[in-house]
Amino acid sequence: MSAMTEAFYLPAGDDVYEPTRATESPWDRRAQHGGPPTALLAHAIDATAGPGLRLARISVDFLGPIPRRPVRVEVSQIRPGRQVSLSEACLVADGRAVVAARAWHIATGPEPPAEGEPFAPPPPPDEAVPFGFPGLTGWGYGEAVEWRFTGGGHGAGGTARVWTRVRLPLIAGEKPTGLARALIVADSANGLSLALPMEEWLSIPPTMTTTLLRMPEGEWVHMDCRTRLSPDGLGLAQATLSDPDGYLGEVAQPLLVRRR
């Protein structure tokens, strides 16, 4: 980054976190991109999960712009259990909830005797093309992630295939986790695979769901993204997540599509 920060968030005590410039949204520099808050809520929920449970799905609702000011995380359990459990968390800023998340944890167990449909891995990261975002210089979130395209991208009519590598820890003083690496970038599916020019059209996801078969093993997460539009002003962005070892999961974002 042009002015590298320590992490996406700095702990400020009592479940309060201060967002750094690495959370900066491309739509409004005073707001946060949806990826870091999603990862922060998942991190908080995951810390409350019982032994042997792994996060399998998280749905995040963006209730409005997420200000780049100190935020508080609140976690509660909805459906406790030893085999499956459901929890929720809210990100509170200026006294109001700005992001709400619900996550299912599922108990791990013996390896099944089948793997399912074969998955063709993408080309390795060192064969991909480094990429910047035209017109978005000095953009905190964009600089906090390394982007290497394997196909598509802006101007490719709603498709993009890209390796991502998160450059910073989610929280200062803590090591990056596979869960954070996946969720920091998951909310970028629509922005990577825009079907219409960003300068002329808005493509806003009010919610996002990520389902994970497993966690990334290393630094790199690949996103195979596509966006489709309906005749009445809606859209759907989706992404298949993988890493060098194979398939990880899926992302889905319904979209509000409007001319600026």
Side-chain angles (χ1 to χ4, degrees):
M1 297 179 67
S2 54
M4 182 68 76
T5 59
E6 184 179 356
F8 288 91
Y9 293 99
L10 306 178
D14 298 325
D15 300 318
V16 175
Y17 298 88
E18 182 179 345
T20 70
R21 197 176 71 83
T23 66
E24 188 177 58
S25 167
W27 308 103
D28 182 350
R29 299 300 175 95
R30 299 166 299 175
Q32 298 184 54
H33 186 278
T38 297
L40 183 65
L41 292 178
H43 172 84
I45 291 173
D46 207 42
T48 68
L53 293 170
R54 179 159 58 76
L55 190 144
R57 191 221 69 183
I58 184 166
S59 293
V60 181
D61 298 318
F62 304 111
L63 308 178
I66 310 166
R68 201 150 55 85
R69 293 194 293 278
V71 293
R72 188 177 75 256
V73 176
E74 300 176 351
V75 180
S76 59
Q77 201 166 54
I78 299 173
R79 194 275 193 199
R82 289 181 296 176
Q83 297 295 320
V84 295
S85 72
L86 176 64
S87 302
E88 68 179 3
C90 285
L91 197 71
V92 178
D94 301 330
R96 67 181 182 90
V98 291
V99 186
R102 282 194 169 195
W104 280 100
H105 280 76
I106 298 177
T108 58
E111 182 178 357
E115 294 184 359
E117 181 183 5
F119 179 78
D126 58 5
E127 295 181 11
V129 180
F131 185 81
F133 294 87
L136 289 175
T137 57
W139 166 36
Y141 173 82
E143 294 181 354
V145 180
E146 182 176 355
W147 313 90
R148 293 191 185 183
F149 276 68
T150 59
H154 290 281
T159 64
R161 296 179 297 280
V162 57
W163 282 108
T164 68
R165 179 164 63 177
V166 175
R167 302 180 191 269
L168 304 171
L170 175 65
I171 299 169
E174 299 188 15
K175 297 181 75 170
T177 65
L179 179 61
R181 291 186 185 281
L183 294 181
I184 285 171
V185 299
D187 189 54
S188 298
N190 69 301
L192 291 166
S193 61
L194 290 172
L196 294 167
M198 181 178 179
E199 314 80 49
E200 301 174 26
W201 291 83
L202 294 172
S203 177
I204 301 173
T207 183
M208 178 194 69
T209 298
T210 301
T211 304
L212 292 169
L213 179 66
R214 62 179 181 86
M215 299 300 165
E217 294 295 332
E219 294 183 318
W220 292 97
V221 173
H222 189 266
M223 302 180 68
D224 186 344
C225 312
R226 55 268 179 205
T227 292
R228 298 176 176 88
L229 305 181
S230 72
D232 58 351
L234 276 69
L236 176 61
Q238 298 170 290
T240 296
L241 304 179
S242 60
D243 69 1
D245 291 331
Y247 179 81
L248 292 175
E250 301 288 336
V251 177
Q253 302 168 290
L255 305 173
L256 169 73
V257 181
R258 292 291 187 274
R259 186 179 290 277
R260 287 182 178 272

